[in-house]
């Protein structure tokens, strides 16, 4: 409240109606724009493969990669139709892990072949649909990169997401203050290594204290020539392109649209499909 109490991704997945997902996402976008927001860190494309996962639960569209892909593309389409930037997360997916990355580092023991046949399917669909942002996961994939979690791994970000999958939008690192990273790296080191891996924007959330030291560490690394200048400029250009998308003109709704009868009825329509 006062936003509409929308169904969860799991409820949308169980309803199984892609057109309905699009409608819900468009309505969410209208509410967000009315409140002054132009980006939504959604859709979440992690597969709910492990029923014991503390991360996916009601946040995932489901277990089937192709169904989740269609759900994700519909949600992405709806958000962007409402002039809100979408963000596919958490690349490459951590629905088959038991550890919550807010607390510690999850580990995925699967192969690249397994990723391509399952976890990466929804991300590939989102990239093909033109999703502007992808958020990375703090998860270690020892059979692909045994040294660094995906969010700090050049193998995962530059090698797989950029070169292999062809993503040309902005790569966004999930909160570097989460336990998965903070228990192993200082905020400055994490930010520097994330950018060196191929991240465009790194987040530090919930605590202002480490932000200034992280910025100072990045500036020092830049001054020392630790970043490739061509890549640095390309990253800036990607960010500027996304900022331009966020400023596309269009009608704005009044705040009174939040939680309106029409949107509550739409939310009820989704939940009615579950009975």
């Amino acid at each position: 409240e006062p936003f509409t109490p929308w169904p969860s991704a799991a409820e949308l997945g169980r309803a199984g109606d892609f057109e309905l997902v699009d409608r819900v996402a468009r309505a969410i976008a209208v509410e967000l724009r009315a409140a002054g927001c132009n980006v939504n860190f959604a859709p979440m494309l992690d597969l709910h493969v492990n029923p014991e996962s503390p991360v996916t639960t009601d946040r995932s569209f489901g277990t089937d990669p192709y169904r989740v892909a269609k759900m994700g593309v519909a949600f992405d389409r709806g958000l962007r139709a409402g002039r809100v930037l979408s963000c596919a997360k958490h690349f490459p997916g951590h629905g088959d892990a038991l550890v919550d990355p807010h607390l510690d580092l999850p580990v995925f023991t699967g192969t690249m072949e397994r990723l391509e046949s399952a976890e990466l399917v929804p991300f590939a669909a989102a990239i093909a649909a033109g999703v502007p942002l992808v958020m990375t996961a703090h998860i270690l994939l020892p059979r692909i990169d045994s040294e660094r979690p995906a969010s700090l791994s050049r193998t995962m970000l530059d090698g797989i997401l950029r070169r292999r999958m062809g993503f040309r939008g902005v790569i966004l690192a999930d909160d570097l203050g989460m336990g998965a990273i903070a228990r192993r790296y200082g905020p400055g080191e994490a930010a520097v290594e994330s950018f060196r891996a191929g991240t465009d924007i790194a987040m530090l959330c919930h605590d202002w204290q480490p932000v200034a030291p992280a910025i100072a560490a990045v500036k020092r690394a830049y001054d020392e020539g630790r970043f490739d200048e061509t890549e640095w400029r390309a990253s800036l250009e990607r960010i500027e392109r996304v900022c331009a998308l966020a400023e596309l003109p269009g009608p704005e709704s009044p705040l009174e649209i939040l939680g309106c009868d029409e949107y509550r009825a739409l939310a009820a329509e989704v939940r009615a499909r579950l009975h």
Side-chain angles (χ1 to χ4, degrees):
E1 300 290 352
F3 291 90
T4 304
W6 294 107
S8 67
E11 289 174 305
L12 288 170
R14 291 198 298 274
D17 187 327
F18 306 124
E19 189 270 336
L20 202 57
V21 172
D22 182 300
R23 287 171 57 200
V24 166
R26 286 172 190 254
I28 289 173
V30 171
E31 289 196 320
L32 289 173
R33 290 290 306 201
C37 297
N38 57 20
V39 62
N40 186 3
F41 293 149
M44 178 170 143
L45 301 181
D46 304 66
L47 305 177
H48 188 45
V49 178
N50 190 327
E52 303 300 318
S53 168
V55 177
T56 49
T57 56
D58 64 340
R59 301 174 68 199
S60 170
F61 288 119
T63 61
D64 180 84
Y66 295 95
R67 185 180 178 86
V68 170
K70 290 180 180 179
M71 290 279 173
V73 167
F75 201 93
D76 160 64
R77 182 173 61 245
L79 285 179
R80 288 196 283 148
R83 296 185 304 115
V84 167
L85 298 179
S86 53
C87 177
K89 67 180 185 184
H90 307 82
F91 177 85
H94 48 29
D96 198 16
L98 278 172
V99 176
D100 185 340
H102 291 87
L103 306 176
D104 209 337
L105 183 65
V107 177
F108 173 79
T109 59
T111 62
M112 187 65 213
E113 290 72 23
R114 154 65 189 268
L115 276 185
E116 288 187 318
S117 66
E119 279 78 8
L120 295 186
V121 169
F123 289 97
I127 291 168
V131 69
L133 297 156
V134 169
M135 183 188 293
T136 59
H138 301 322
I139 185 170
L140 186 68
L141 300 95
R143 299 181 72 174
I144 300 170
D145 184 341
S146 61
E147 300 296 323
R148 295 176 179 272
S151 46
L152 308 184
S153 168
R154 190 162 179 87
T155 299
M156 292 302 303
L157 303 190
D158 183 68
I160 295 174
L161 183 54
R162 287 272 185 235
R163 300 179 187 276
R164 193 161 178 166
M165 299 182 71
F167 181 57
R168 297 291 177 262
V170 166
I171 296 177
L172 188 77
D174 204 349
D175 181 9
L176 297 176
M178 291 164 63
I181 300 298
R183 291 171 66 123
R184 290 160 179 80
Y185 304 87
E189 181 187 10
V192 168
E193 294 307 314
S194 178
F195 290 135
R196 281 166 55 85
T199 294
D200 297 305
I201 298 175
M203 294 196 296
L204 278 166
C205 310
H206 310 299
D207 183 1
W208 183 249
Q209 190 172 358
V211 173
I215 291 173
V218 171
K219 183 181 185 304
R220 188 164 55 251
Y222 180 86
D223 292 341
E224 293 170 354
R226 296 181 61 194
F227 302 115
D228 180 283
E229 186 65 26
T230 301
E231 291 184 2
W232 187 269
R233 292 185 181 278
S235 182
L236 178 59
E237 289 172 3
R238 285 190 291 268
I239 293 168
E240 289 176 339
R241 284 198 299 270
V242 166
C243 287
L245 287 176
E247 295 169 0
L248 290 175
E252 301 290 351
S253 299
L255 273 174
E256 287 73 21
I257 199 78
L258 272 61
C260 66
D261 291 344
E262 177 188 351
Y263 290 170
R264 289 180 181 272
L266 177 57
E269 180 183 345
V270 176
R271 293 190 171 102
R273 302 278 186 97
L274 307 179
H275 301 294

